[in-house]
């Protein structure tokens, strides 16, 4: 992979993580045989911090105990990321592709 292609990929990864950070969206990151699922809480050009909340719940307990873990992941180690997207029906997508105005509310 050439330098220009790597820079474009890194820029897109950074952009998607920035969007998730601003929206408070959960992401799933694949990196070096490990995966992380959580909410980005800090982002620099080199690293992303991911907040992971784990529920440690027993059936008898009324209160939930949460464990907080923060992972610092080097962006260059990430090879895949998934993030939530909006649901679009086939009809809504076709209207968008035909240049029609698409309402924000799902159908």
């Amino acid at each position: 992979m050439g330098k220009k292609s790597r820079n474009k990929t890194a820029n897109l990864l950074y952009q998607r993580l920035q969007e998730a950070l601003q929206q408070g969206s959960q992401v799933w990151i694949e990196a070096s045989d490990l995966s992380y699922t959580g909410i980005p809480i800090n982002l620099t050009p080199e690293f992303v911090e991911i907040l992971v909340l784990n529920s440690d719940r027993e059936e008898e307990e009324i209160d939930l105990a949460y464990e907080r873990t923060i992972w610092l992941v080097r962006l260059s180690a990430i090879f895949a990321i998934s993030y939530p997207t909006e649901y679009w029906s086939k009809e809504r997508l076709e209207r968008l592709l035909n240049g029609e105005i698409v309402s924000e509310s799902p159908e």
Side-chain angles (χ1 to χ4, degrees):
M1 183 185 299
K3 185 176 180 179
K4 187 174 183 179
S5 179
R6 275 183 290 189
N7 286 341
K8 185 176 181 179
T9 301
N11 289 340
L12 185 57
L13 172 66
Y14 184 86
Q15 179 184 346
R16 294 298 183 247
L17 287 170
Q18 182 69 36
E19 290 169 3
L21 175 68
Q22 291 172 350
Q23 297 171 4
S25 300
Q26 184 169 327
V27 295
W28 180 5
I29 294 175
E30 292 288 331
S32 307
D33 298 330
L34 296 173
S35 63
Y36 307 90
T37 302
I39 300 171
I41 58 171
N42 191 17
L43 179 64
T44 70
E46 191 172 357
F47 294 99
V48 61
E49 284 182 293
I50 302 292
L51 172 65
V52 181
L53 291 175
N54 298 313
S55 172
D56 183 20
R57 179 181 156 207
E58 294 182 16
E59 295 299 322
E60 303 296 319
E61 286 187 53
I62 296 174
D63 293 329
L64 294 178
Y66 286 95
E67 177 184 1
R68 183 180 75 178
T69 305
I70 298 177
W71 289 97
L72 182 63
V73 183
R74 186 182 304 270
L75 295 182
S76 62
I78 298 172
F79 62 87
I81 182 173
S82 68
Y83 45 90
T85 59
E86 185 179 349
Y87 170 78
W88 289 55
S89 67
K90 179 181 173 189
E91 293 79 19
R92 186 175 183 201
L93 181 59
E94 287 174 350
R95 286 198 317 264
L96 176 69
L97 294 175
N98 289 329
E100 297 175 26
I101 297 175
V102 179
S103 67
E104 292 298 315
S105 62
E107 298 174 320

